């Protein structure tokens, strides 16, 4: 599974300076602004989860032990515990993969979350981008992935486009000798997770990366995991610092993987779908706003003319949205808008209408 050949970066193909790959939605937020820039859902974890995490603070004198959390995550996805590696958020999983693998032809499918490419470049790898097109609804055409690619990274559902690719289309990208990394940080925002590959231990070279920070409002705790064949898990574990995931984070992973929590997340995804439909309807009713796809996750990608000015005017009216020109393949006229409750959506839509009115 481990790729053992490494080609030094080719400066002629290094696009890392064209956008700020380290820019994320938290940098858009400031005191007094309504946050539509960050994809964390809710302002705090539910009380039952907070209680479990608080109880773990009595055990901080001991070193973290990931065994129970690993078993819980494995059971949640019908996998063997040897297929699971707990990480300090999904972001650490990408860093570990970049450290552990030595790809000759790494491909990142964009627009998508930029940390996978940033991690690869920081580890000294050359990255080739495949840019999905707005006029094609940011859909994935497998034929556009080079056959020589021995590492392919893609999101599903994809941040920031909110596109949900068919699971079989993504699974078909697997090849002998290729590692296929699927970022499923937002998979639980869709009821039933119909296109998730998390349970697919049969796909050769597949790595699924998941996050628990979005649905459970745990961005400050940093907890996620990757699912892969045991040899690749061991490879990544060797690249991980000792005790990288704290005891409170491990307790959160265990709690959020239990059947009751999974049911809770699925019910929240149903509510989210209703709130998203309301946001989409309001946006489509505003002249000058274009939505290139039918969004499926907890955020909506919108196109407006003079997007930089629109974003600043929205800030003056009290709303922070995510700039999208830091995603390869997009530009300054794209905005990512987080789904919130209907009252917040109504207030935001009124502000946007005011900004776009002649």
């Amino acid at each position: 599974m481990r790729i053992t050949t490494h080609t030094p970066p080719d400066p002629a193909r290094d696009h890392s300076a064209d956008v700020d790959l380290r820019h994320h939605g938290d940098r858009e937020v400031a005191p007094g602004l309504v946050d539509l820039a960050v994809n964390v859902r809710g302002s705090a974890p539910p009380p039952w989860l907070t209680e479990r995490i608080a109880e773990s603070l009595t055990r901080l004198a001991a070193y973290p032990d990931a065994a129970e959390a690993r078993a819980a995550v494995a059971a949640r996805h019908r996998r063997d515990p040897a297929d699971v590696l707990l990480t300090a958020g999904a972001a650490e999983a990408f860093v570990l993969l970049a450290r552990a693998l030595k790809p000759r032809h790494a491909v990142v499918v964009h627009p998508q979350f930029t940390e996978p490419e940033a991690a690869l470049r920081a580890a000294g790898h050359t990255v080739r981008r495949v840019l999905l097109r707005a006029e094609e609804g940011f859909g994935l055409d497998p034929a556009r992935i080079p056959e020589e690619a021995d590492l392919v990274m893609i999101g599903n559902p994809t941040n920031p486009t909110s596109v949900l690719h068919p699971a079989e289309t993504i699974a078909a990208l697997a090849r002998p000798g290729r590692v296929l990394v699927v970022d499923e940080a937002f998979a639980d925002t869709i009821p039933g997770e119909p296109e998730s590959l998390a349970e697919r231990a049969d796909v050769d070279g597949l790595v699924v990366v998941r996050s628990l920070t979005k649905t459970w409002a745990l961005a400050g705790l940093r907890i996620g995991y990757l699912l892969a064949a045991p040899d690749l898990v061991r490879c990544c574990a060797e690249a991980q610092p000792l005790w990288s995931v704290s005891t409170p984070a491990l307790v959160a992973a265990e709690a959020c993987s239990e059947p009751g929590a999974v049911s809770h997340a699925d019910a929240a995804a149903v509510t989210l779908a209703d709130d998203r439909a309301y946001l989409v309807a309001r946006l489509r009713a505003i002249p000058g706003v274009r939505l290139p796809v039918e969004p499926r996750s907890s955020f909506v990608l919108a196109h407006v003319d003079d997007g930089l000015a629109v974003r600043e005017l929205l800030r003056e009216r009290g709303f922070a949205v995510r700039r999208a020109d830091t995603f390869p393949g997009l530009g300054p006229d794209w905005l990512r808008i987080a789904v919130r409750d209907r009252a917040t959506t109504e207030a935001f839509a009124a502000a946007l209408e005011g900004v776009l009115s002649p």
Side-chain angles (χ1 to χ4, degrees):
M1 183 72 65
R2 185 170 183 171
I3 304 170
T4 56
T5 304
H6 174 54
T7 302
D10 177 3
R13 298 180 60 190
D14 188 352
H15 304 288
S16 58
D18 59 356
V19 295
D20 181 3
L21 297 175
R22 297 292 192 183
H23 183 94
H24 299 296
D26 58 314
R27 287 168 59 181
E28 310 281 349
V29 183
L33 295 180
V34 176
D35 176 14
L36 302 179
V38 175
N39 286 326
V40 174
R41 296 159 60 194
S43 58
W48 60 266
L49 180 54
T50 300
E51 291 172 6
R52 293 276 291 271
I53 294 171
E55 186 278 330
S56 74
L57 300 181
T58 64
R59 294 180 271 131
L60 294 185
Y63 284 98
D65 182 350
E68 292 185 3
R70 186 185 301 116
V73 170
R76 186 253 193 272
H77 295 294
R78 298 181 176 86
R79 302 284 294 255
D80 189 280
D83 295 350
V84 178
L85 180 65
L86 280 298
T87 60
E92 189 195 26
F94 298 123
V95 171
L96 298 178
L97 288 162
R99 292 174 178 173
L101 302 177
K102 306 298 179 187
R104 292 171 296 170
H105 302 286
V107 169
V108 178
V109 181
H110 284 291
Q112 77 148 321
F113 183 50
T114 53
E115 280 302 314
E117 178 173 331
L120 287 170
R121 293 190 180 279
H125 305 303
T126 298
V127 177
R128 177 173 177 177
R129 295 174 180 169
V130 172
L131 302 180
L132 304 184
R133 304 181 181 101
E135 58 270 23
E136 298 173 354
F138 296 110
L140 173 64
D141 178 0
R144 297 192 59 209
I145 306 301
E147 278 299 319
E148 66 270 21
D150 52 7
L151 172 63
V152 176
M153 291 185 160
I154 187 170
N156 200 41
T158 303
N159 172 20
T161 64
S162 207
V163 167
L164 181 64
H165 303 290
E168 290 307 316
T169 299
I170 292 185
L173 297 177
R175 300 283 189 279
R178 173 185 289 178
V179 175
L180 173 62
V181 180
V182 185
D183 176 6
E184 291 193 359
F186 296 96
D188 64 355
T189 64
I190 300 168
E193 303 186 12
E195 307 302 338
S196 173
L197 292 172
E199 296 184 6
R200 293 289 301 273
D202 61 308
V203 179
D204 185 47
L206 176 66
V207 180
V208 173
V209 176
R210 303 280 293 225
S211 171
L212 294 171
T213 64
K214 309 298 190 294
T215 291
W216 301 107
L218 294 173
L221 192 61
R222 311 308 308 142
I223 180 62
Y225 53 90
L226 65 78
L227 304 165
D231 57 345
L232 186 48
V233 168
R234 286 192 296 271
C235 186
C236 290
E238 290 172 1
Q240 187 178 38
L242 287 173
W243 311 295
S244 173
V245 184
S246 69
T247 295
L250 292 172
V251 167
E254 181 180 359
C256 294
S257 299
E258 294 171 352
V262 174
S263 296
H264 179 95
D266 202 57
V270 173
T271 300
L272 172 68
D274 290 339
D275 290 338
R276 184 181 60 243
Y278 187 79
L279 172 60
V280 167
R282 288 295 286 114
L283 291 175
R284 286 182 171 154
I286 300 174
V289 178
R290 183 170 69 89
L291 305 185
V293 300
E294 187 65 39
R296 297 292 302 276
S297 191
S298 55
F299 43 88
V300 175
L301 183 66
H303 184 276
V304 297
D305 290 336
D306 201 5
L308 290 177
V310 169
R311 186 162 54 87
E312 290 306 313
L313 289 170
L314 285 170
R315 292 179 73 85
E316 292 177 8
R317 288 161 171 76
F319 292 91
V321 297
R322 171 66 155 91
R323 62 186 293 185
D325 57 335
T326 62
F327 293 101
L330 300 179
D333 292 338
W334 293 97
L335 306 173
R336 192 191 70 191
I337 305 162
V339 176
R340 301 293 190 236
D341 61 86
R342 294 193 179 197
T344 301
T345 290
E346 194 58 43
F348 168 71
L352 184 57
E353 284 176 323
V355 167
L356 296 178
S357 296

